Amino acid sequence: MKKSIKDLGDIKGKRALVRVDVNVPLDENKNVTDDTRIQACVPTIKYLTERGAKVILMAHLGRPKGEWKPELSLEPVAKYMSKVLGQDVLFVKTPVGEGADKELANLKDGQVALLENIRFYKAEEAKDDDMTFANELAKLGDFYVNDAFGAAHRNHTSTAKLAKVLKPAVSGLLMEKEIRCLSQALDNPTRPFTAIVGGAKVSSKIGVLENLLDKVDNMIIGGGMAYTFVKANGGKIGNSICEDDQFDTAKAIEKKAKDKGVNLVMATDVLVTDDFSGNGTNKFVKINEIPDGFEGVDAGLESRKAFADVIKSSKTILMNGPVGAFENPKFAEGTKAVLAAIVEATKNGATSVIGGGDSVSAAKKFFKAEDFTHVSTGGGASLEFIEGKVLPGVAALDDK
């Protein structure tokens, strides 16, 4: 386990240099349109300010690739965070050098500052071992906190290198919760343990499927990747998405599931359409008998029931990927049914973890975050964690 801010002693008057993930969407008037990520890091900020620390936040917005782009400035985010935190958040236009020193010199105990977009500096994303930028940033703090799980899979200066030069280096409350919930689901699940793996492509989920087959009792495979399995077994999939170069992978996954005694649950029927906008002919067919000119876009009625039955009898549930093109309301019922079953199981005492960008979007679209045990804030990070990969931003923190 990694040390967290709860393991720090007296921090009154000390400068906490905190990496957060406030990469939020802004509209054309620079208004925050979804503040989920901001709200997620508030408990850590409040924990530090209430104990008298001076809090200096580092974050990124978008992908400026080392160039100063005014449209990706974090200034509007600082203004929004001032409202959320109930205090003026000092916005620091130049994160390193004399400018930063001057602006931060008058920061008082319990006050919060936000540095300009850290990705405006090329050195933030540099792949080399040069620690110059890390050492410059380290001058701003007395200890380092990483609360940006959403960026923990990046080996960047502010997410990993900094933790090597500024000590102690600990996790924030959000990072701690992410690691705890995902680790518990993967390494110490109450059984039966069911994973729902969806999404468009087998190729992007090979690592996830491989790692989970060593851990789960049931695996539900849905979404676009299912058609690769169907075609690999000789089924007709019409115009459905398919990766012909992944047939061997699909067969190997089926064999591994059989060898491990994992109950592999595939859709048996699907909703198909001849117009992806949803305005054409939509009908239910068997998944291996999709007519030419039609493509599968959602789990069928009997598949939804089969998925729900497995989910409701589970004690640990991990969802990584939707089971249909849920962005279109006409193709959303399968994913909604899966999530409804997870919510019901959670109410009956199961542990449920939703990980990965699209699953989280769907969960928040149809239900509330509190309906599940944990909704991960990190898309790519949770995916790599579930694959069993080491996340640089986690590995760099101090061990307990």
Side-chain angles (χ1 to χ4, degrees):
M1 282 302 288
K2 295 295 180 180
K3 281 188 178 171
S4 86
I5 51 176
K6 294 182 205 152
D7 298 305
L8 298 167
D10 181 18
I11 54 173
K12 187 171 167 52
K14 295 214 174 134
R15 297 167 304 157
L17 192 54
V18 188
R19 178 57 158 100
V20 290
D21 179 12
V22 291
N23 184 25
V24 292
L26 303 172
D27 65 17
E28 61 278 3
N29 298 317
K30 297 282 183 275
N31 295 311
V32 175
T33 55
D34 179 356
D35 72 350
T36 308
R37 285 177 169 162
I38 291 171
Q39 295 292 350
C41 65
V42 168
T44 292
I45 297 168
K46 290 209 158 153
Y47 182 97
L48 295 165
T49 56
E50 282 164 8
R51 283 156 184 78
K54 299 168 181 175
V55 178
I56 300 155
L57 306 172
M58 298 173 292
H60 74 278
L61 187 66
R63 295 185 175 175
K65 303 214 180 291
E67 289 173 33
W68 287 72
K69 295 188 172 172
E71 68 274 17
L72 292 177
S73 171
L74 278 167
E75 193 162 6
V77 178
K79 284 180 181 151
Y80 189 90
M81 289 183 82
S82 299
K83 283 186 277 192
V84 172
L85 294 169
Q87 65 153 284
D88 280 341
V89 172
L90 173 70
F91 180 65
V92 182
K93 291 191 172 73
T94 47
V96 292
E98 280 178 29
D101 295 340
K102 266 189 198 142
E103 289 191 72
L104 291 166
N106 299 321
L107 199 66
K108 294 179 177 63
D109 295 359
Q111 237 184 324
V112 181
L114 174 64
L115 305 180
E116 180 57 285
N117 195 336
I118 204 76
R119 286 191 185 170
F120 283 175
Y121 292 88
K122 275 199 163 57
E124 162 67 1
E125 298 182 67
K127 300 262 193 293
D128 55 40
D129 296 325
D130 188 349
M131 300 296 274
T132 312
F133 188 47
N135 287 320
E136 279 293 304
L137 286 170
K139 290 174 188 169
L140 302 176
D142 297 310
F143 61 93
Y144 171 79
V145 180
N146 193 344
D147 209 32
F149 182 73
H153 58 310
R154 306 279 182 212
N155 192 14
H156 292 171
T157 298
S158 68
T159 56
K161 287 183 188 174
L162 192 50
K164 292 170 187 166
V165 292
L166 181 58
K167 298 288 184 184
V170 300
S171 72
L173 300 176
L174 174 65
M175 177 75 87
E176 182 184 45
K177 187 185 179 201
E178 290 275 11
I179 298 167
R180 185 182 68 244
C181 290
L182 286 165
S183 298
Q184 198 175 343
L186 292 168
D187 303 330
N188 193 20
T190 310
R191 297 191 179 277
F193 177 17
T194 296
I196 301 121
V197 184
K201 296 179 172 181
V202 175
S203 55
S204 65
K205 295 281 174 92
I206 294 170
V208 168
L209 293 164
E210 287 277 347
N211 195 37
L212 286 174
L213 281 172
D214 291 328
K215 301 172 186 293
V216 301
D217 302 295
N218 308 297
M219 182 178 282
I220 294 170
I221 292 182
M225 69 163 77
Y227 306 109
T228 298
F229 284 85
V230 174
K231 193 173 174 185
N233 286 301
K236 282 182 63 189
I237 61 163
N239 294 14
S240 304
I241 186 169
C242 182
E243 293 176 288
D244 291 358
D245 60 343
Q246 296 294 327
F247 288 168
D248 289 346
T249 306
K251 291 279 202 188
I253 285 162
E254 287 175 335
K255 183 179 183 306
K256 184 172 179 178
K258 195 177 174 193
D259 293 346
K260 293 263 176 193
V262 173
N263 175 29
L264 199 62
V265 187
M266 305 281 265
T268 51
D269 66 332
V270 280
L271 179 69
V272 297
T273 186
D274 58 0
D275 180 357
F276 197 70
S277 72
N279 298 323
T281 303
N282 305 323
K283 60 183 181 179
F284 292 107
V285 299
K286 290 215 175 314
I287 195 167
N288 56 358
E289 295 174 8
I290 299 174
D292 291 340
F294 283 81
E295 61 182 312
V297 285
D298 195 12
L301 297 173
E302 62 183 52
S303 301
R304 291 172 203 173
K305 187 182 179 310
F307 293 170
D309 287 346
V310 173
I311 291 164
K312 287 177 196 172
S313 66
S314 304
K315 288 287 175 225
T316 303
I317 303 145
L318 175 67
M319 182 175 182
N320 187 267
V323 299
F326 74 93
E327 296 84 356
N328 185 327
K330 291 180 180 172
F331 309 146
E333 291 304 316
T335 298
K336 209 191 285 186
V338 165
L339 287 162
I342 297 173
V343 169
E344 191 178 318
T346 309
K347 278 184 188 150
N348 292 327
T351 298
S352 57
V353 178
I354 312 291
D358 287 338
S359 316
V360 172
S361 299
K364 289 198 302 204
K365 187 173 183 178
F366 305 123
F367 296 94
K368 297 196 292 290
E370 47 270 30
D371 292 327
F372 309 92
T373 308
H374 181 61
V375 177
S376 181
T377 56
S382 57
L383 188 67
E384 291 194 16
F385 197 99
I386 295 165
E387 279 184 55
K389 288 184 180 173
V390 174
L391 306 185
V394 176
L397 299 173
D398 299 346
D399 291 318
K400 278 207 188 205

